[in-house]
C-alpha cells in the first residue's frame, strides 16, 4: 500500500513540458527534485513527415511558405506573399524585383512558370489589399523581362490547342450531318463555295464563343447597342409624335 502511494506521489511530482526551440521528437520531463529525463518518441511515419521525399519537396506541391520552411528545417517561417505593416513582403522579392535565382529548377534554369505565378499572385494580392507606393521601395520588375516564348507556352498554346480541337470536332459533326442530308462528301464540301463559307463560319464561331460566359457577354453588347434606342422610344410612350399627327 505504501509502495503504491509512493509511486502515485512520484507520478504527481513529475510534469511534462516542451521547451522552446525543441523539436517534436524530444519530450523533456521535469520533476520537483530537478531531475531531467529525456524520452524519445516513436519515429514519424512517411505520411506524417511528407512521404518518402525530403527537403522542400516533402512539403507538397501546393504547400505554403510556412510548410516549406518547416520541411527544410528553417528556424523561422518563410515570408511568402504577405502584407506586413502596409508593405509587400516576400523572401523572393529583393530590391523591388523577383530574385530569379530562387526560381531555378533542378537543371539550374529559371522556371518562368513559377515567376509568372508569383507575379500574378502579387498583383492579385495588391488588388485585394491596396497599399501606398513609396519611393523608398520602388517596383523595378517588368513583365517584359519574361521571355515571349514563356508567355506563348503558358497561355497561347493551351488555348490554341483547345480551340483547334473544338473546331475540328464541330466541323466534323457538321460535315457528317451535311453528308447524310445531301450526299455530298467532305471533299466535295470543301471544294464548293458554300462548304468553304460554312467552314469559315464554324471556325469564326469557335473563336468568338470560347466558353459559355461569352454568350452572356454578347447579349450584354447587344443590349448596350440598343439601349439608347429603347430609351428614346420610352420617352414617347403615351405621347403622340409629330410624325403621327399628319
Amino acid at each position: 500500500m505504501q509502495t503504491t502511494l509512493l509511486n502515485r506521489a512520484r507520478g504527481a511530482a513529475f510534469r511534462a513540458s516542451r521547451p522552446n526551440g525543441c523539436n517534436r521528437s524530444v519530450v523533456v520531463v521535469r520533476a520537483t527534485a530537478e531531475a531531467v529525463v529525456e524520452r524519445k518518441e516513436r519515429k514519424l511515419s512517411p505520411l506524417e513527415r511528407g512521404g518518402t521525399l525530403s527537403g522542400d519537396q516533402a512539403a507538397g506541391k501546393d504547400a505554403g511558405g510556412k510548410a516549406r520552411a518547416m520541411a527544410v528545417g528553417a528556424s523561422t517561417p518563410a515570408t511568402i506573399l504577405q502584407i506586413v505593416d502596409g508593405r509587400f513582403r516576400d523572401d523572393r522579392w529583393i530590391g523591388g524585383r523577383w530574385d530569379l535565382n530562387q526560381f531555378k529548377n533542378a537543371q539550374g534554369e529559371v522556371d518562368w512558370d513559377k515567376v509568372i505565378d508569383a507575379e500574378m499572385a502579387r498583383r492579385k494580392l495588391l488588388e485585394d489589399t491596396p497599399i501606398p507606393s513609396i519611393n523608398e521601395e520602388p517596383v523595378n520588375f517588368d513583365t517584359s523581362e519574361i521571355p515571349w516564348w514563356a508567355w506563348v507556352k503558358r497561355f497561347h498554346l493551351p488555348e490554341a490547342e483547345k480551340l483547334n480541337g473544338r473546331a475540328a470536332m464541330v466541323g466534323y459533326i457538321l460535315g457528317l450531318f451535311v453528308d447524310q442530308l445531301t450526299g455530298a462528301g467532305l471533299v466535295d464540301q470543301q471544294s464548293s463555295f458554300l462548304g468553304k463559307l460554312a467552314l469559315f463560319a464554324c471556325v469564326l464561331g469557335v473563336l468568338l464563343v470560347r466558353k459559355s460566359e461569352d454568350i452572356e457577354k454578347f447579349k450584354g453588347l447587344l443590349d448596350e447597342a440598343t439601349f439608347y434606342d429603347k430609351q428614346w422610344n420610352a420617352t414617347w410612350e403615351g405621347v403622340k409624335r409629330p410624325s403621327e399627327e399628319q
Side-chain angles (χ1 to χ4, degrees):
M1 182 68 179
Q2 293 179 354
T3 303
T4 302
L5 294 177
L6 181 60
N7 292 335
R8 290 181 179 178
R10 289 178 179 177
F14 285 84
R15 182 178 58 184
S17 64
R18 189 185 306 277
N20 297 329
C22 179
N23 55 29
R24 60 178 299 176
S25 62
V26 178
V27 175
V28 178
V29 181
R30 300 188 181 279
T32 56
E34 298 183 355
V36 178
V37 180
E38 294 186 0
R39 184 184 64 187
K40 293 186 177 181
E41 295 179 351
R42 64 177 179 83
K43 187 177 180 181
L44 297 178
S45 64
L47 292 178
E48 292 174 318
R49 56 183 171 86
T52 58
L53 302 177
S54 60
D56 184 40
Q57 296 179 349
K61 178 181 178 182
D62 299 326
K66 183 177 181 180
R68 293 187 180 279
M70 296 177 62
V72 298
S75 56
T76 57
T79 303
I80 304 295
L81 296 171
Q82 296 181 13
I83 301 295
V84 181
D85 297 332
R87 298 291 181 266
F88 173 74
R89 292 293 180 261
D90 193 303
D91 292 343
R92 303 165 298 175
W93 184 263
I94 301 176
R97 59 186 305 104
W98 295 110
D99 184 12
L100 300 182
N101 293 325
Q102 302 188 43
F103 291 91
K104 292 186 177 181
N105 52 26
Q107 290 74 27
E109 300 176 352
V110 178
D111 192 341
W112 293 109
D113 285 337
K114 293 183 178 180
V115 178
I116 294 175
D117 290 338
E119 179 63 13
M120 292 174 59
R122 184 185 74 88
R123 298 195 175 200
K124 178 61 177 176
L125 177 63
L126 297 179
E127 181 181 350
D128 297 337
T129 310
I131 59 176
S133 300
I134 58 177
N135 295 330
E136 290 76 8
E137 295 184 2
V139 177
N140 300 319
F141 181 79
D142 193 346
T143 54
S144 62
E145 300 178 24
I146 302 176
W148 63 269
W149 54 263
W151 294 107
V152 173
K153 181 180 177 182
R154 176 63 182 272
F155 296 102
H156 299 287
L157 286 183
E159 185 72 10
E161 183 178 358
K162 179 180 69 175
L163 296 179
N164 186 33
R166 184 178 300 173
M169 295 173 62
V170 174
Y172 176 78
I173 295 298
L174 293 178
L176 183 62
F177 175 76
V178 173
D179 188 5
Q180 294 294 326
L181 186 64
T182 63
L186 295 177
V187 177
D188 297 334
Q189 295 178 30
Q190 295 181 1
S191 300
S192 64
F193 174 76
L194 294 178
K196 294 179 180 179
L197 183 61
L199 180 61
F200 175 78
C202 176
V203 175
L204 183 62
V206 170
L207 291 176
L208 292 178
V209 184
R210 301 185 179 185
K211 48 188 177 181
S212 58
E213 290 80 359
D214 292 339
I215 300 178
E216 299 298 328
K217 179 182 67 178
F218 288 117
K219 289 182 179 179
L221 291 176
L222 181 61
D223 294 338
E224 185 176 354
T226 58
F227 173 76
Y228 293 105
D229 291 338
K230 294 178 180 179
Q231 189 178 34
W232 171 259
N233 293 328
T235 58
W236 291 99
E237 290 184 0
V239 179
K240 182 178 289 187
R241 301 186 182 188
S243 61
E244 299 175 351
E245 294 178 356
Q246 298 178 358

